Amino acid sequence: MALLTRLTLSVLSILLLTSPGFAPIGARTVQTGTTAKPALWVVRDADTTVYLFGTIHVLRPDVRWFHGRVKRAFDRADTLVLEVIPPDPAEAAAITARLALDPDGPPLSTKLDAATRARYLALLNTFGMPAAQLETARPWFAAITLSLLPIRKLGYQADAGVEDVLHKAADHACKTVLPLEGFAEQIGFFASLSDKTQIAFLSASIDDAAHAETEIGRMVAEWSAGRPEALADDLNESFKDMPEVAETLLHARNRRWADWIGKRMARPGTIFLAVGAGHLAGDGSVLDELAARGMTAKRVE
């Protein structure tokens, strides 16, 4: 499930990883740079072009990807479309508190069985985080926090992630920037999960924290090499036992985004659409949904 978090979160990654409370803890020194060649697709008709680019929401600063065909496609576009555009920090914090915290409910640790509670408290201790800091959190938010802490410790940064780089480049080039989802809407997907699923999500995140370096390293390597099918295999594995999560965070959103693209094809222009890489490969991907609607996305080689 750690891969689930890393592939589907954008705003929460930015919110958590840039917060003073989540500063790097002995972040590793980057040894060598990586020149990435991630996958890019295009959908075209007579007067409309939509480039589809799969993103990694947090990266190390040494990963170089904004070049070649990706940069050329971006430069041709008049509009950048992202999953979501973060509001100002105060508004983001208020929305997150409303949907992520349960101050009147029982403490989070009491919602866990004895074995899970012991693993949870041990993991918090590893990162030097007092248990009280998450006692009012809903389980989904604690799960995301525990998934992101080791990533931050390894030196991955939100401001080096693809969305942040693209947004800044679009602003500099005076391009229009549009969201597919609202900030509260995106967080609401997690908050809408059943209590049982949220607890399972948290338990899986506790288990996966020990493997964070291997998992995110593999994910970045697959993305950098332009191997979306391998990313999809990892994602499908993480969803295998949680159909509610798969439907809420992946498949339903893929359908809505394909509908958005279909409607946008009715108007002329060139769009650069960037969403989490896990949405653009595997069964039920955005590409599959486009094909079901009679649109063919071709890989840009």
Side-chain angles (χ1 to χ4, degrees):
M1 287 295 294
L3 269 175
L4 166 64
T5 301
R6 296 169 190 142
L7 289 173
T8 59
L9 289 185
S10 55
V11 173
L12 289 182
S13 299
I14 295 169
L15 181 67
L16 289 172
L17 297 179
T18 57
S19 166
F22 291 87
I25 309 170
R28 299 183 179 215
T29 302
V30 175
Q31 296 178 348
T32 58
T34 300
T35 300
K37 297 181 179 180
L40 177 70
W41 293 265
V42 64
V43 180
R44 283 193 176 101
D45 63 16
D47 59 2
T48 309
T49 298
V50 177
Y51 291 102
L52 303 171
F53 184 55
T55 69
I56 297 288
H57 303 311
V58 291
L59 284 172
R60 283 173 167 165
D62 72 321
V63 180
R64 297 183 296 271
W65 59 269
F66 199 28
H67 57 82
R69 54 196 165 73
V70 173
K71 181 64 163 57
R72 288 192 295 271
F74 176 84
D75 289 342
R76 293 181 187 124
D78 49 70
T79 301
L80 169 67
V81 177
L82 301 172
E83 290 185 25
V84 70
I85 298 175
D88 68 76
E91 182 182 355
I95 293 171
T96 302
R98 175 167 58 85
L99 294 173
L101 303 181
D102 183 22
D104 299 323
L108 174 61
S109 60
T110 66
K111 299 177 183 179
L112 309 176
D113 61 56
T116 303
R117 187 183 309 118
R119 293 186 292 115
Y120 167 71
L121 295 175
L123 184 59
L124 290 179
N125 185 63
T126 297
F127 290 109
M129 176 178 283
Q133 193 166 335
L134 287 175
E135 281 292 69
T136 61
R138 298 185 187 277
W140 70 264
F141 187 74
I144 290 167
T145 301
L146 295 181
S147 293
L148 292 173
L149 280 174
I151 297 173
R152 191 67 171 101
K153 185 176 180 180
L154 291 166
Y156 290 87
Q157 301 175 14
D159 60 5
V162 172
E163 284 83 1
D164 198 71
V165 171
L166 289 174
H167 201 165
K168 289 175 180 175
D171 286 345
H172 181 74
C174 297
K175 297 180 187 288
T176 299
V177 183
L178 299 175
L180 289 168
E181 300 167 344
F183 182 84
E185 178 186 16
Q186 190 174 82
I187 295 181
F189 297 144
F190 294 89
S192 70
L193 297 172
S194 67
D195 291 343
K196 180 180 178 181
T197 295
Q198 289 190 38
I199 294 294
F201 188 6
L202 174 56
S203 180
S205 295
I206 294 168
D207 291 339
D208 287 339
H211 312 292
E213 182 171 12
T214 299
E215 289 187 355
I216 195 169
R218 182 175 66 247
M219 181 185 74
V220 172
E222 292 166 350
W223 177 81
S224 298
R227 298 176 56 215
E229 297 81 8
L231 274 174
D233 288 344
D234 288 335
L235 185 62
N236 290 337
E237 178 64 25
S238 73
F239 278 133
K240 183 174 62 176
D241 299 322
M242 295 191 181
E244 181 188 359
V245 177
E247 174 60 21
T248 302
L249 298 183
L250 188 66
H251 299 306
R253 298 169 79 201
N254 291 348
R255 292 192 295 270
R256 288 194 295 271
W257 296 351
D259 287 339
W260 186 95
I261 294 167
K263 292 176 182 177
R264 184 60 186 81
M265 295 298 293
R267 293 186 287 118
T270 301
I271 310 298
F272 191 96
L273 187 148
V275 297
H279 293 279
L280 297 180
D283 293 338
S285 69
V286 172
L287 305 189
D288 282 353
E289 294 296 337
L290 289 174
R293 291 158 177 76
M295 293 172 280
T296 300
K298 296 183 178 179
R299 181 84 175 258
V300 179
E301 301 295 347

